[in-house]
Amino acid sequence: MPSFTFSKSLRLLTPSDFKPVFDQATFRASHQYFMFLASSNGLSAPRLGLVIAKKNIKLAVQRNRIKRLVREAFRHLQHELPPIDCVFLTRRGLDKLDNETITKQLEQQLKRLAKKAKEAAQT
């Protein structure tokens, strides 16, 4: 039975973890209110990093809510994702959506990202 935890090994924590994704993002999945950038990581599992700017999401309560939703969506789909480093970036207006809508859109974009990465790995 696969583990659905979200341990520290599944997170991008340091600037040196984020830099390769920003410099050479080979995959992207974009939405009106957020974007995922990703690149292969050469590890055995996908990893997630969050960039939630105060400029785009003013209230800390809303930023924390969005972080929880993104982590939860990633945690549920981690076994469907190939070994990639994903960075989640917010845009203005995301804090106006309800949890159900955000979760649905996150899952849809993560699946798109997984599909793009798997197709690239096959070629």
Side-chain angles (χ1 to χ4, degrees):
M1 176 98 184
S3 171
F4 285 95
T5 60
F6 187 61
S7 63
K8 237 181 183 167
S9 64
L10 297 176
R11 300 176 193 178
L12 298 176
L13 299 171
T14 63
S16 61
D17 291 340
F18 282 84
K19 189 168 177 25
V21 181
F22 284 122
D23 289 348
Q24 46 201 245
T26 47
F27 317 108
R28 61 178 56 212
S30 194
H31 181 267
Q32 181 181 357
Y33 298 114
F34 62 85
M35 177 171 51
F36 280 104
L37 297 176
S39 64
S40 298
N41 64 13
L43 303 172
S44 61
R47 299 189 303 172
L48 176 69
L50 302 171
V51 178
I52 301 181
K54 197 185 283 189
K55 177 182 172 182
N56 295 334
I57 311 294
K58 301 279 187 238
L59 300 176
V61 171
Q62 295 296 340
R63 289 193 302 274
N64 292 335
R65 176 180 70 103
I66 291 164
K67 286 179 198 174
R68 279 193 307 273
L69 292 171
V70 174
R71 286 185 192 123
E72 188 69 4
F74 182 83
R75 188 177 72 80
H76 283 289
L77 293 173
Q78 67 185 339
H79 299 292
E80 295 178 29
L81 295 171
I84 56 174
D85 285 344
C86 300
V87 174
F88 173 81
L89 299 138
T90 57
R91 294 182 177 149
R92 285 198 173 99
L94 183 60
D95 54 339
K96 306 289 186 268
L97 300 178
D98 63 279
N99 289 357
E100 189 179 327
T101 306
I102 293 173
T103 302
K104 191 170 124 188
Q105 292 301 322
L106 286 169
E107 289 175 356
Q108 184 179 349
Q109 297 306 324
L110 279 168
K111 286 179 181 175
R112 268 184 66 204
L113 200 61
K115 184 179 174 189
K116 286 181 181 181
K118 286 176 184 171
E119 285 173 359
Q122 291 173 354
T123 58

